[in-house]
Amino acid sequence: MTSLTLNGVTVNFPFTPYDCQKDYMRKVIECLQTKANGVLESPTGTGKTLCLLCSTLAWREHFRDTISARKIAERLGSEEMFPNTPLSSWGTAATDGDTPAYYTDVPKIIYASRTHSQLAQVINELKNTSYRPKVCVLGSREQLCINQEVMRQESNHIKVHMCRSKVSTRSCVFYNNCEEKSIDKELVNSILDVEDLVKFGNKQRACPYYLSRSLKQQADIIFMPYNYLLDPKSRRAHNIELNGAVIIFDEAHNVEKTCEESTSFDLTPYDIASAIDAVNRLLVEQAKDVSHGDSVSGDFNVDSLNSGLKIEISDIAKIKQILLNLEAAIDSYDVPSDKGITKPGSFIYELLERAQLTYSSKTAVCEALDQIIGHLTGQPGVFLNTSGLQKLADILQLVFCGEPSEKEQELQMQSNTAHFKVHIHQDTSYNKKKQSADVWSSSSSKKQGNVLSYWCFSPGFSMQDLVSQGVRCIILTSGTLSPLSSFTSEMRIEFKVSLENSHVIDRDQIFVSVIDKGPDGVHLSSAFDRRFVPENMASLGNTVANLSRVVPHGLLVFFPSFPLMEKTLEFWRAKGHADRIETVKPIFVEPKGKGTFTEVMDGYYSKVSDPASKGGTFFAVCRGKASEGLDFANTFGRGVIITGLPFPPRMDPRVILKMQFLDEMSRKNTSKLKYLSGQQWYRQQAFRAVNQAIGRVIRHREDYGAIFLCDQRFKNSDARAQLPSWVRPYVRLYDSFGNVVREVSQFFRVAQKMRPVLETKAVAESCDTLRLPDMRSSGFASCSFSQSSNTQKAKVLDAHLPSLKRRRLNEQAGANGMARICIEYECEVKESQRRPANLLDALEQGDHGMGEDDDDAVVGEEKANRLSTLSLQHDKRMDDEMRGGKRKIRLVQEQKKTRLEENKDSRAKTFLAEMKKSLSQVTFEGIVQALQTYKKSDNLDVLLTKTTVLSEDANTHSLLRGLYQFVRAHHKQRFDEKCQELTGQGCGYKPDHSLPKDKKTVLKLHGDSQAAVALNSPSGTSNCTQLNTQQLNKGGRHLNQQGLGGPQTGSAPKSEVHAAFLADVKKALGAEKSAQLFQAIYSYKKTDNYENLVTTVVSLFTERDEDFNLLVRFGVFIRPHHKKQYKDMLDSLVGQSDSAADVPAPSEDQQRHVSLSPTLKTQSKISNFFSSSQRK
């Protein structure tokens, strides 16, 4: 944890921050201290969220400390409690010289982002800091309700009313438990996101929705989606208090759109018709109730009260009349089919007045609507659509906002509608909504009519509303806000603090190219008159196909719109371009709907992650889901292709009116805040969508990738000026497409070589992937530079290698700590897979490791492993840099490696380093992926196919032969033959290279000198001619008949006995039980606990009669001081003195005799043994 002082505030940060992070936090604190609004742009990957949280919470703590200092000063008068630290030195920066009297004056932090999934990521970041504020996350009933009866309802507003009904009658068991559980320490003191809150609610049977509302009262920081803040009715529903609060909008590039949509509406004929039908239904019901009584008097009122309906039937009839009048008023306009009628915003009051809807009637009508909706949604039985009634209630709250006096009404109406337009147009949807859902719908709901649209064209309307609530300051931040001047002018509030932050990446991590012509020389353009020209579409297809070959792994292709993407794909499939792309990188296409999006994304991620594939291509749309918040870090997004400028649809009525509105306001403007022109806004929308898509490529400090701008309009300097500030310096223009391909190929080849830390890390990871493929995880790829993150990642390695013990990281480890951990773990991974020193070690390792652990299997690799003096020095220098000088993380080892083992580890590492230097990045990564696939699938054909590229050039033949060390034993002969065929030279194959792992481990590493003499030739290479490998798996007649403890002259060595037994155990017991046996032997080796060993061994070898002979043969592993005990135990079980502890190993006939011993006798003996063992 690093502490630094910024603007007088001490900030605790998880690691040493970069300069751009310090700049960002200074700007945040400046906003908070000076009560100034700020707009801060910081590219994705610069730790923006972490900086926001740490700086904001540090300032809040400082604010609180300042209050404490002043209270102490007031109590002490002129005295000093701390002579060495005068109270005056505490400063007043936090409170701007104000003198708050209570701790309740400490501002709340309201942190808003676009979605709950983004908020969950923010909350996870908060957990990684040292700050532990009281936290609340707000959500809707849709996300938080756990009452199944409520959640079964079809529409959201029905769920709302049913919930309210149950709460008012206390018929919801979850709500009833809220008060008791709201003070639970687990709830109050924990940092919970929506998912955690739901889990807590289910566990405690308490309503998460109302728990979150109770937490809000005491929370220091409140998380919510930003439509909760910007939508007035949502703000009222959640009772969000803004006075004095700090408002933070993260991912604020969407705020403009949300501001406008939250204060706009479209009232369709279906909405009005469904509202009329719902009221009709209620009128019929109430009329029946009235007809059962003598008069409309007491009985009706009592029944109405009991049913929850507190309005007269005459008032219900008035509501129906209002709806009919509103429908008639909207349909009274004869609207041309191709365009609508546009009126000033104030026209909405004139139209609604024709339906008796005014400021004076608003309150009564809203209360009546609320009563009707609550009554209808609370009724059991057939579902009744009340969405139309709810929409009308929301419209009245929006249009008639404020409570002006009669004299001020005119002024209020002008203020309310200054940023709005009324647009009436024909309903072109033909009521696509399923009307069958409402069995009570009348024919009137199926007719075509006019749509009343009330559109807001200035996000400033919502922003000014927030400022009027008395907020301390508003901070807007995102990775893509450029150009800031146009963005701030849209907001209509003053931003005194602004920042366009630089990126944390270096020059060699990003490649940006404008491609104005395809490979065939045709100009590329998505302009309206060019986008569907066949030559243009074909040239774009050739461009994408060629780039897919040079960009490794994942490639993202963004189109301006869904229709353009669909038509382009259709053309490419017909002309063969899609097939060319598909053969290199399979194509995944972003769907329009939400249902299949996750499946498509999972498919893309899986394909890119597959070591056997060359990656994948993801076709998406600017402003689509894929361009917004998805993570395409590392291999998932090595390249982004922008196929055109995504301008809004020029003929869309809302776009036309927006441009007209801005032009009109620009002409009228007299304030300091300038309006954009309509054309400036139009261009801004296109480039902001492009910038958002571009942001997918660089996701963290260690990431790298290429950006291709495939539209000739990007050649204009005005267009490039609209790109993010961190991208602009790297944009390159090329004369031909060939130059682009050559340059980007070189970029990917040298991207890591130019950055030594990454190069060494890449080699380490490449080595690791051969043994630990699971390390290729999102947690390992992400770039959180904190030491806590480093520790977590080291723990991930520990999970793979439980026997390793890791020392505590150096406190001062910097941003390169992760790389150092990778290097040291790489060395220790190989060390942990050293050859066992004896049979117990071999059994401990069991099946772990690969057949490539053969010291004699490197004869053909020596040429490939001879590095020049310069390259060895280079590797040493890189290793020193990776270790941060002399510091090194060392792991506890039980035994030292032999010189032979060290040489083998060094050979593997230097071979991979040499291969990386000799090959292109794409080829090297392809071969590493092929090795991973081979490790998982044991399919040599895949490895041979992927590595044949090394046979095409005589200079790389030695690299192909060098791969022999990674080939498993049973494939070595075939691989040697293939190398002989392709390169004219084999890999030095010897017959003993094909020995299975278990036999080779026992025979080579048990330490038996006779076996060593028998197997090793004087030259040091393996020679298997003296060994009958067929008999090793039999474990029968060839065993020494003189007793395992006696001399072994003229018989098979002791190693053969161990190997045969090992093979028979695996065959008889299977992998799982064999592992249990090996673990028991290992424990016996460590603890010398005979009782535990025998208990396990007997239970394993006596489950089946045919395995009983293994119990007899197991005596060879018993230590001398326990052999008599073991012999006595066998005698008591079998009833004869022929145990392996002191007699020759039984022949096959004898073993068969043992296995045929009476079952009942054997089992009773076993039972007696266990009982006697327990008594001992």
Side-chain angles (χ1 to χ4, degrees), residues 432-556:
K432 292 179 182 177
K433 295 181 181 179
K434 294 182 179 180
Q435 313 237 349
S436 57
D438 184 3
V439 298
W440 300 101
S441 60
S442 64
S443 59
S444 65
S445 65
K446 298 181 176 65
K447 73 180 184 66
Q448 184 179 359
N450 292 338
V451 176
L452 172 65
S453 295
Y454 184 63
W455 291 331
C456 177
F457 291 116
S458 175
F461 179 77
S462 294
M463 284 293 158
Q464 289 169 348
D465 185 30
L466 288 181
V467 171
S468 68
Q469 303 290 320
V471 299
R472 181 181 182 89
C473 64
I474 297 173
I475 299 175
L476 302 179
T477 184
S478 177
T480 50
L481 295 177
S482 298
L484 290 189
S485 57
S486 60
F487 180 82
T488 54
S489 66
E490 276 276 86
M491 293 297 132
R492 309 309 301 157
I493 59 175
E494 188 177 7
F495 290 94
K496 293 182 179 179
V497 180
S498 64
L499 173 69
E500 281 188 84
N501 218 351
S502 57
H503 214 302
V504 293
I505 60 171
D506 299 324
R507 187 179 188 86
D508 62 294
Q509 291 176 260
I510 184 171
F511 177 92
V512 189
S513 170
V514 175
I515 301 179
D516 64 322
K517 296 177 184 177
D520 49 7
V522 175
H523 283 284
L524 300 175
S525 175
S526 65
F528 186 75
D529 58 341
R530 289 273 302 160
R531 60 179 58 178
F532 295 126
V533 174
E535 292 81 6
N536 182 70
M537 297 171 77
S539 186
L540 181 61
N542 291 330
T543 301
V544 175
N546 279 281
L547 292 177
S548 68
R549 295 181 181 279
V550 296
V551 176
H553 307 298
L555 177 64
L556 311 175

Side-chain angles (χ1 to χ4, degrees), residues 127 132-136 184-193 200 215:
K127 293 176 183 177
R132 288 297 175 265
K134 292 182 180 178
V135 169
C136 166
D184 191 297
K185 288 185 178 180
E186 182 184 350
L187 176 69
V188 176
N189 298 329
S190 300
I191 298 177
L192 307 178
D193 60 19
F200 178 85
L215 286 174

Side-chain angles (χ1 to χ4, degrees), residues 54 140 341 346 416 472 551 573 584 588 638 649 868 885 939 973 1007 1089 1105 1122 1160:
C54 290
S140 66
I341 299 173
S346 57
N416 287 350
R472 181 181 182 89
V551 176
R573 289 192 177 105
V584 182
F588 297 83
R638 285 296 181 219
S868 67
N939 188 337
Q973 182 176 0
N1089 190 323
D1105 289 344
H1122 290 141
L1160 291 176

Side-chain angles (χ1 to χ4, degrees), residues 103 123 131 235 294 341 415 613 635 728 767 770-771 813 862 864 887 1001 1044 1053:
Y103 288 112
I123 292 172
Y131 296 99
R235 205 161 62 225
D294 295 332
I341 299 173
S415 173
S613 79
T635 56
R728 289 196 292 268
C767 296
L770 302 180
R771 305 172 195 269
E862 293 182 357
R887 289 177 301 178
T1001 300
L1044 298 178

Side-chain angles (χ1 to χ4, degrees), residues 1071-1090:
E1072 184 178 349
K1073 291 184 179 178
S1074 297
Q1076 292 180 26
L1077 178 66
F1078 301 154
Q1079 182 60 42
I1081 296 174
Y1082 179 66
S1083 298
Y1084 176 58
K1085 170 192 169 185
K1086 290 237 175 185
T1087 64
D1088 199 39
N1089 190 323
Y1090 171 78

